Amino acid sequence: MLSLPDFKEKNIVICFSEQGQKVSFKNDNLIIKDFEDKPVLQATCYKLFSLWIIGGTTLTSGILERSKKFGFSIQMLSHNHKPYGVWNSATEGNFLLRKKQYDYNDLTIARHLVANKIINQTELLKSIRSKDDKLKDAISKMNDYQLQATTANDLQTLLGMEGVSTRLYFSNWFAGMDWKGRKPRAKMDFINTTLDIGYTYLFNIVECMLNLYGFDLYQGVYH
């Protein structure tokens, strides 16, 4: 079961096996070595929260035994950071978290997520030095949408607030760059392509973090 000190004091260690790095242990210390077998990182297992291995790897029984002994999980990720395997330890008994997750039936978290997203988008638009009337009007509307999101009564309304504010954000943030709209996975231009890459990495990292803390990935609060 996770406790507060786990969140505050322990560390996540990342091993890039695709770059030739490998994991070893010595005297209850985790050691990351490079392709020349030189140590690049050493950390005590007592302060290890999770080990992330990016790229192909082979897990030995020694690594798995230490995971159980010291209570750290192991996340296996592909070269693009997509999780393909998880060896849980401390989080596998976190039934209280999952019970709260299953019993949760409210819009508070969803409202916060959407409102916070709109706030961040608005702040970026405010950072643009030269603001024409179109941009000023977009910022004003997005401020209204953010306030409406905090009091939305259903998920459909929240989806609407998120959608219209996001369209305003993208069209103004990429103004002058031949922006044709957000088209996920369409690869229609370099902006959409790079956004897809960024979202993919972000999605994979969030999935790892949710696994790390013991959430059920199939029980959401929004969409």
Side-chain angles (χ1 to χ4, degrees), residues 6 8 41 48 60 69 107 177 180 190 200 206-207 212:
D6 292 321
K8 296 178 63 177
L41 181 143
L48 182 58
T60 66
K69 177 182 178 181
L107 291 176
M177 300 181 68
K180 297 182 178 66
F190 78 93
T200 297
V206 170
E207 181 176 335
L212 174 58

Side-chain angles (χ1 to χ4, degrees), residues 49-136:
F49 196 9
S50 182
L51 171 63
W52 294 14
I53 303 177
I54 300 176
T57 188
T58 299
L59 295 180
T60 66
S61 59
I63 294 177
L64 301 181
E65 288 173 2
R66 284 176 171 83
S67 169
K68 294 298 183 182
K69 177 182 178 181
F70 295 102
F72 64 86
S73 63
I74 302 173
Q75 305 261 4
M76 286 80 78
L77 299 88
S78 64
H79 66 280
N80 65 347
H81 294 194
K82 181 176 178 60
Y84 65 85
V86 180
W87 174 263
N88 279 330
S89 181
T91 60
E92 63 189 8
N94 202 356
F95 65 91
L96 292 178
L97 172 67
R98 291 203 171 188
K99 187 177 187 303
K100 288 184 177 181
Q101 190 180 359
Y102 297 146
D103 291 343
Y104 182 81
N105 185 23
D106 197 279
L107 291 176
T108 303
I109 296 177
R111 290 185 189 125
H112 176 77
L113 291 173
V114 175
N116 196 57
K117 177 180 180 180
I118 298 174
I119 289 172
N120 289 333
Q121 291 172 334
T122 306
E123 288 303 311
L124 281 173
L125 293 184
K126 288 180 179 178
S127 69
I128 299 175
R129 282 192 173 186
S130 180
K131 298 180 181 66
D132 56 18
D133 291 338
K134 179 185 174 184
L135 178 56
K136 292 177 181 177

Side-chain angles (χ1 to χ4, degrees), residues 23-32 41-46 48 66 70:
V23 179
S24 62
F25 292 89
K26 183 178 181 181
N27 297 330
D28 293 340
N29 289 312
L30 179 144
I31 301 172
I32 304 293
L41 181 143
Q42 179 171 319
T44 173
C45 292
Y46 291 99
L48 182 58
R66 284 176 171 83
F70 295 102

Side-chain angles (χ1 to χ4, degrees), residues 125 128 168-180 182 190-192 194-195:
L125 293 184
I128 299 175
L168 281 172
Y169 165 70
F170 277 133
S171 62
N172 284 276
W173 185 252
F174 293 116
M177 300 181 68
D178 195 28
W179 176 250
K180 297 182 178 66
R182 179 72 179 114
F190 78 93
I191 299 177
N192 273 286
T194 50
L195 283 172

